[in-house]
C-alpha cells in the first residue's frame, strides 16, 4: 500500500468533496440561481412531478421501471447509455426471461389468472403489520420511544381500499424482480435527486442487499480465468465471491484517497496476456467512499481520473457504496463532534452538495453499475438494496434475480415502503441520513481520539476516516524485534502473518475482537505491511475506549515496547507524520 497522505488534524473545512456545477450540480444551481448546466430535480420537484404523472401500479406482480417515474428533464435531452454487451459473460447472455413472471404483462384488470402459482392473499396469515418509527427529525431511540409514530399496513390498503400504493396482499406475494412500483418510484426520484446520472435510460432493480447484488454482478461480468481489478485491500466477501468463479482479484495500489489511477492505467497499459496467463481485465470493483476495510474515500478528482482510465481501457465499474451517505466532517485531534439535541438537520441542498459525487453521477457512457444497500443506513436485516445502471445491464441483472433471490422479502418491502414513502418522504429520509452521519462522525472521533491516547505512536499510524464505519491502523513492522533480528531485512509473509495473529490473539484473550488486515488483501499472501481494521459502528463509547486501550497493550507486548520509555506523540505529529 502506498504511503498515506499526511494526517489531517486542523479544523478546516474540507472542500474537496463539494460538488461543483459541472457534475451533479442540482443543489449548487438551485442555491445560486445560476442557469443549470443540465436539468436538475430536487425534493421540491417531486410532488408537482407526481401530480403530472401516472401513479405506480397497484396490482400483484406488476412490472415497473425507472422510466415510468423519471422527470422530463431526465428523459429528454440526455444521451443514451452505450452498449456493454461485449463485457457480459456467456452465463449472463444465456439467461432467458422467466416464462411465469413474463406472463404477468398480459394481466390487466378483470383477467382471471390460472397461470402463476401466486397464492391468494386470503391465505396470508397477516391481516395487519404495525411498527413504530421515528418522526423526522426526532430520530433518537429515546425520542422514538416517546414521540415516534405507529403505523400499520393492512392487507388490502392498496388493492381494495385505494389508500396506499403497496399493501400486504401485494408485498407478501410474488413480485417482479425489480421490486414493487411504489418503491421503484421512490428510488428513481432519489437517484435523480442525489446522482442525476448524465445519461437518460438508466434503470433500477431492487436487490436482496449488496452481497447478493455483488454475486449477481460478478457472475454477469467474470469468466473463469479472468482478473477483477480492485483496491489492494478490499471487502473480504468480494474476494470470497470472486474465488469460486475461478477468477482472481488483482489489487491496484492505493492511498488514503483510494485506488491510484496511475497504477490502474499502468497495469492495463502493460498487460501481458502470456505472462499473466489471463486476458486483459476490464472489471473494476471499487468501494469509493469509506472503503471497507481502509476507510479511504476517493475525492471527486480521483473518481474522475479513474473514470478517465475506465474510458481509455473500456472498463466496467462496479461501484459498491453502502457507506456513501456516511461522509464526515474532518477529524480534529482531541475534539468530539456532538450531535445536536434536538437534532437540527442542515438543508437538503447543503447536505447533498457536500457529498463527493458518485461514479453514477459522472458516468457519461453507462459503464457503471452502482450498488446501494439499506443495510448500513436503515438495517442490515432488511436484506434490501438496489442497483442502478444502463438498461441492458439492469435487464440482465433482473434475469438473474428472477431465478435467484427474486426480490427482497415482502416484510422488508412493506416496512421500507411505509417508512420512506408514507412517512419520511425524501426530505425525512435525507434528514435521517444526516442524523446517522452525525452519529458516526461522533463515533469516529471517539475511536480516533482513543487511538491517539492509547496506541504506541512510534509504531501505530492512521489517517482519520472521512467516511464509513472503519478505522484502519497501520503498525510499523520495521519496529518489530524480528525485523531487528533479521538485520533490517524485509519480514517475509509467514512471519508477518504470525505477528498479526499474535496481536489478534492477544486482543481476543483480553476480550477484544479486531479484524486482521490480511483478511482483506486482494491477492492473498502478498502482504508486506501490517494493518488492523477496527469498527466504530458497534460498541458504546466507553467500551470503544477500553477496547483500544487493550489493543495498545497487545501491540506493546508484541513489539516489546515499554510504556515507560515511550515517546508520546500527539496531535498533529501523530499517525502518518513520519
Ligand atoms: N459491500 C461492502 C463494501 C460492505 O462493506 C458490506 C458490508 O459490510 C456489504 C457490501 C454488504 O452489504 P449488504 O448487507 O447489503 O449485503
Amino acid at each position: 500500500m502506498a504511503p498515506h497522505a499526511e494526517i489531517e488534524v486542523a479544523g478546516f473545512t474540507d472542500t474537496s468533496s463539494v460538488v461543483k456545477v459541472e457534475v451533479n450540480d442540482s443543489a449548487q444551481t438551485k442555491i445560486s440561481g445560476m442557469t443549470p448546466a443540465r436539468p436538475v430535480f430536487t425534493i421540491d420537484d417531486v410532488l408537482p412531478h407526481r401530480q403530472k404523472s401516472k401513479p405506480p401500479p397497484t396490482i400483484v406482480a406488476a412490472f415497473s421501471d425507472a422510466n415510468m417515474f423519471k422527470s422530463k428533464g431526465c428523459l429528454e435531452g440526455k444521451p443514451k447509455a452505450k452498449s456493454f454487451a461485449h463485457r457480459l459473460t456467456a452465463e449472463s447472455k444465456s439467461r432467458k426471461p422467466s416464462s411465469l413472471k413474463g406472463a404477468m404483462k398480459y394481466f390487466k384488470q378483470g383477467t382471471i389468472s390460472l397461470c402463476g402459482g401466486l397464492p391468494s392473499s386470503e391465505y396470508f396469515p397477516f391481516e395487519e403489520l404495525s411498527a413504530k418509527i421515528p418522526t423526522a427529525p426526532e430520530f433518537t431511540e429515546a425520542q422514538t420511544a416517546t414521540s415516534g409514530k405507529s403505523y400499520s399496513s393492512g392487507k388490502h390498503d392498496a388493492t381494495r381500499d385505494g389508500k396506499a400504493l403497496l399493501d400486504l396482499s401485494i408485498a407478501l406475494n410474488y413480485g417482479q424482480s425489480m421490486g414493487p412500483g411504489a418503491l421503484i418510484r421512490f428510488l428513481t426520484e432519489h437517484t435523480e435527486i442525489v446522482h442525476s446520472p448524465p445519461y437518460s435510460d438508466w434503470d433500477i432493480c431492487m436487490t436482496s442487499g449488496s452481497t447478493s447484488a455483488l454475486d449477481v454482478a460478478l457472475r454477469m461480468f467474470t469468466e473463469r480465468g479472468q482478473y477483477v481489478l480492485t483496491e489492494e485491500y478490499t471487502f473480504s466477501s468480494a474476494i470470497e465471491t470472486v474465488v469460486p468463479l475461478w477468477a482472481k482479484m488483482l489489487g491496484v495500489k492505493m492511498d488514503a484517497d483510494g485506488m491510484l489511477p496511475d497504477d490502474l492505467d499502468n497495469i492495463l497499459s502493460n498487460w501481458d496476456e502470456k505472462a499473466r496467463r489471463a486476458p486483459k481485465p476490464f472489471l473494476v470493483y471499487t468501494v469509493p467512499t469509506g472503503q471497507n476495510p481502509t476507510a479511504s474515500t476517493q475525492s471527486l478528482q480521483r473518481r474522475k481520473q479513474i473514470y478517465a482510465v475506465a474510458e481509455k481501457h473500456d472498463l466496467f465499474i462496479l461501484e459498491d457504496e453502502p457507506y456513501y451517505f456516511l461522509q464526515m466532517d474532518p477529524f480534529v485531534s482531541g475534539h468530539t463532534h456532538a450531535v445536536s439535541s434536538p437534532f437540527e438537520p442542515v438543508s437538503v441542498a447543503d447536505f447533498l452538495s457536500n457529498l463527493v459525487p458518485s461514479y453514477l453521477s459522472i458516468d457519461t457512457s453507462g459503464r457503471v453499475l452502482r450498488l446501494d444497500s439499506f443495510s448500513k443506513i436503515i438495517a442490515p436485516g432488511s436484506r434490501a438494496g438496489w442497483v442502478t445502471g444502463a438498461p441492458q445491464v439492469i435487464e440482465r441483472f433482473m434475469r438473474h434475480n428472477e431465478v435467484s433471490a427474486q426480490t427482497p422479502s415482502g416484510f422488508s418491502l412493506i416496512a421500507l415502503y411505509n417508512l420512506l414513502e408514507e412517512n419520511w418522504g425524501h426530505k425525512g429520509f435525507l434528514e435521517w441520513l444526516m442524523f446517522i452521519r452525525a452519529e458516526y462522525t461522533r463515533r469516529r472521533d471517539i475511536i480516533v481520539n482513543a487511538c491517539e491516547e492509547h496506541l504506541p505512536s512510534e509504531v501505530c499510524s492512521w489517517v482519520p476516516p472521512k467516511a464509513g464505519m472503519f478505522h484502519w491502523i497501520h503498525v510499523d513492522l520495521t519496529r518489530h524485534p524480528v525485523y531487528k533480528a533479521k538485520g533490517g531485512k524485509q519480514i517475509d509473509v509467514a512471519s508477518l502473518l504470525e505477528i498479526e495473529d499474535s496481536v489478534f490473539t492477544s486482543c481476543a484473550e483480553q476480550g477484544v475482537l479486531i479484524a486482521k488486515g490480511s483478511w482483506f488483501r486482494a491477492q492473498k499472501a502478498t502482504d508486506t505491511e501490517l494493518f488492523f481494521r477496527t469498527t466504530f459502528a458497534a460498541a458504546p463509547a466507553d467500551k470503544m475506549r477500553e477496547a483500544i486501550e487493550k489493543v495498545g497493550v497487545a501491540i506493546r507486548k508484541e513489539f516489546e515496547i515499554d510504556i515507560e520509555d515511550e515517546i508520546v506523540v500527539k496531535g498533529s505529529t501523530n499517525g502518518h507524520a513520519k
Side-chain angles (χ1 to χ4, degrees):
M1 189 170 176
H4 281 63
E6 276 212 339
I7 192 168
E8 285 158 12
V9 288
F12 64 91
T13 303
D14 178 8
T15 52
S16 63
S17 63
V18 173
V19 186
K20 299 285 189 302
V21 278
E22 77 267 23
V23 191
N24 184 16
D25 49 333
S26 52
Q28 290 287 324
T29 45
K30 280 270 160 171
I31 295 166
S32 61
M34 291 156 52
T35 311
R38 52 166 210 258
V40 292
F41 188 76
T42 72
I43 54 167
D44 299 331
D45 298 319
V46 172
L47 199 58
H49 173 59
R50 284 184 178 192
Q51 282 162 350
K52 282 185 275 160
S53 321
K54 274 197 185 160
T58 50
I59 53 168
V60 174
F63 283 91
S64 55
D65 66 29
N67 288 328
M68 292 162 64
F69 309 116
K70 284 176 192 168
S71 70
K72 207 169 159 217
C74 175
L75 285 168
E76 294 170 7
K78 288 185 186 181
K80 288 200 157 57
K82 289 182 185 156
S83 167
F84 287 89
H86 60 296
R87 293 311 195 193
L88 294 168
T89 55
E91 175 193 326
S92 183
K93 281 186 196 148
S94 72
R95 290 184 185 279
K96 300 272 179 288
S98 151
S99 343
L100 289 170
K101 288 200 189 294
M104 278 309 288
K105 65 171 169 277
Y106 297 100
F107 188 93
K108 47 186 187 296
Q109 208 67 38
T111 300
I112 306 163
S113 176
L114 306 179
C115 180
L118 283 70
S120 163
S121 65
E122 66 194 290
Y123 306 121
F124 299 164
F126 297 94
E127 190 56 33
E128 215 173 87
L129 278 179
S130 49
K132 192 171 180 185
I133 54 169
T135 316
E138 295 178 348
F139 291 124
T140 66
E141 233 180 33
Q143 285 171 325
T144 310
T146 53
S147 68
K149 183 177 168 195
S150 296
Y151 72 80
S152 89
S153 291
K155 201 184 259 183
H156 303 291
D157 285 357
T159 38
R160 191 186 59 203
D161 303 339
K163 59 180 190 189
L165 297 169
L166 191 65
D167 62 21
L168 295 176
S169 76
I170 303 173
L172 299 187
N173 217 322
Y174 290 111
Q176 297 297 334
S177 62
M178 76 288 291
L183 281 168
I184 290 295
R185 181 172 76 172
F186 190 90
L187 295 174
T188 301
E189 292 161 351
H190 171 87
T191 302
E192 277 206 49
I193 293 164
V194 177
H195 306 287
S196 188
Y199 62 97
S200 64
D201 51 349
W202 48 274
D203 206 353
I204 288 180
C205 179
M206 289 198 74
T207 68
S208 299
S210 293
T211 308
S212 161
L214 191 53
D215 180 48
V216 174
L218 286 168
R219 278 173 62 173
M220 281 172 59
F221 291 104
T222 318
E223 297 284 8
R224 283 180 170 226
Q226 275 179 355
Y227 276 99
V228 178
L229 298 154
T230 189
E231 285 93 4
E232 220 175 347
Y233 290 88
T234 191
F235 178 39
S236 49
S237 294
I239 306 172
E240 289 150 11
T241 309
V242 162
V243 171
L245 298 176
W246 293 76
K248 282 187 205 158
M249 286 290 200
L250 183 60
V252 179
K253 288 197 179 76
M254 63 190 300
D255 63 11
D257 286 345
M259 189 181 280
L260 295 174
D262 287 351
D263 193 47
L264 180 64
D265 186 31
N266 196 24
I267 290 172
L268 293 162
S269 300
N270 299 305
W271 191 263
D272 179 342
E273 294 206 354
K274 271 207 187 115
R276 296 268 195 179
R277 287 196 279 164
K280 183 174 160 181
F282 61 82
L283 186 65
V284 177
Y285 167 73
T286 183
V287 183
T289 315
Q291 199 243 11
N292 184 357
T294 66
S296 65
T297 297
Q298 297 171 15
S299 61
L300 173 57
Q301 193 198 8
R302 180 66 61 91
R303 289 173 205 224
K304 283 181 171 177
Q305 288 166 336
I306 290 175
Y307 191 80
V309 178
E311 291 271 270
K312 175 176 168 191
H313 294 279
D314 194 19
L315 308 180
F316 195 87
I317 300 176
L318 300 181
E319 174 185 34
D320 185 8
E321 278 290 52
Y323 311 104
Y324 183 68
F325 291 102
L326 307 182
Q327 300 185 30
M328 301 162 178
D329 287 336
F331 172 76
V332 180
S333 179
H335 173 74
T336 301
H337 286 85
V339 183
S340 61
S341 174
F343 178 63
E344 283 165 17
V346 296
S347 74
V348 164
D350 271 0
F351 174 61
L352 295 179
S353 67
N354 278 294
L355 297 175
V356 185
S358 61
Y359 277 100
L360 180 63
S361 73
I362 59 172
D363 180 19
T364 43
S365 299
R367 60 175 72 253
V368 173
L369 181 68
R370 178 178 167 94
L371 282 61
D372 275 285
S373 170
F374 285 114
S375 285
K376 311 293 170 140
I377 52 174
I378 300 288
S382 65
R383 302 316 307 138
W386 68 100
V387 288
T388 314
Q392 193 183 41
V393 172
I394 296 293
E395 188 274 334
R396 289 291 91 193
F397 191 99
M398 287 194 293
R399 297 292 82 84
H400 193 149
N401 226 16
E402 271 169 3
V403 291
S404 50
Q406 299 205 23
T407 56
S409 154
F411 295 103
S412 275
L413 294 175
I414 197 79
L416 287 167
Y417 163 76
N418 262 299
L419 184 73
L420 301 175
E421 170 69 28
E422 291 284 342
N423 286 286
W424 283 354
H426 289 285
K427 185 162 181 281
F429 179 41
L430 292 164
E431 287 179 349
W432 166 257
L433 297 173
M434 294 176 209
F435 170 71
I436 55 168
R437 171 179 82 153
E439 283 288 331
Y440 283 110
T441 304
R442 182 180 63 81
R443 287 175 156 273
R444 182 274 318 262
D445 293 345
I446 292 166
I447 207 165
V448 178
N449 281 317
C451 288
E452 288 199 350
E453 192 171 339
H454 297 297
L455 298 189
S457 49
E458 308 124 273
V459 295
C460 295
S461 58
W462 54 83
V463 173
K466 283 186 193 160
M469 297 183 162
F470 301 111
H471 182 40
W472 183 239
I473 300 167
H474 178 245
V475 187
D476 184 0
L477 272 178
T478 66
R479 310 298 287 257
H480 194 275
V482 167
Y483 182 84
K484 289 176 198 152
K486 287 192 168 191
K489 289 215 187 80
Q490 166 111 19
I491 291 184
D492 58 275
V493 179
S495 312
L496 183 152
L497 297 181
E498 258 176 50
I499 295 168
E500 186 188 52
D501 191 59
S502 172
V503 174
F504 173 83
T505 312
S506 163
C507 289
E509 281 165 2
Q510 297 176 77
V512 174
L513 267 187
I514 55 173
K516 294 180 184 181
S518 63
W519 292 340
F520 307 96
R521 185 84 183 151
Q523 285 144 290
K524 293 289 163 206
T526 60
D527 308 60
T528 54
E529 292 184 75
L530 185 59
F531 291 98
F532 292 97
R533 190 196 77 175
T534 57
T535 178
F536 45 92
D542 53 336
K543 294 285 172 200
M544 251 193 288
R545 289 190 201 100
E546 181 187 327
I548 291 296
E549 193 171 351
K550 289 177 174 167
V551 174
V553 170
I555 293 174
R556 281 190 185 86
K557 190 171 121 207
E558 181 60 33
F559 282 71
E560 297 175 4
I561 298 170
D562 188 344
I563 199 157
E564 300 296 315
D565 303 337
E566 239 176 85
I567 317 151
V568 179
V569 190
K570 281 218 163 179
S572 61
T573 49
N574 189 15
H576 290 261
K578 293 203 174 119

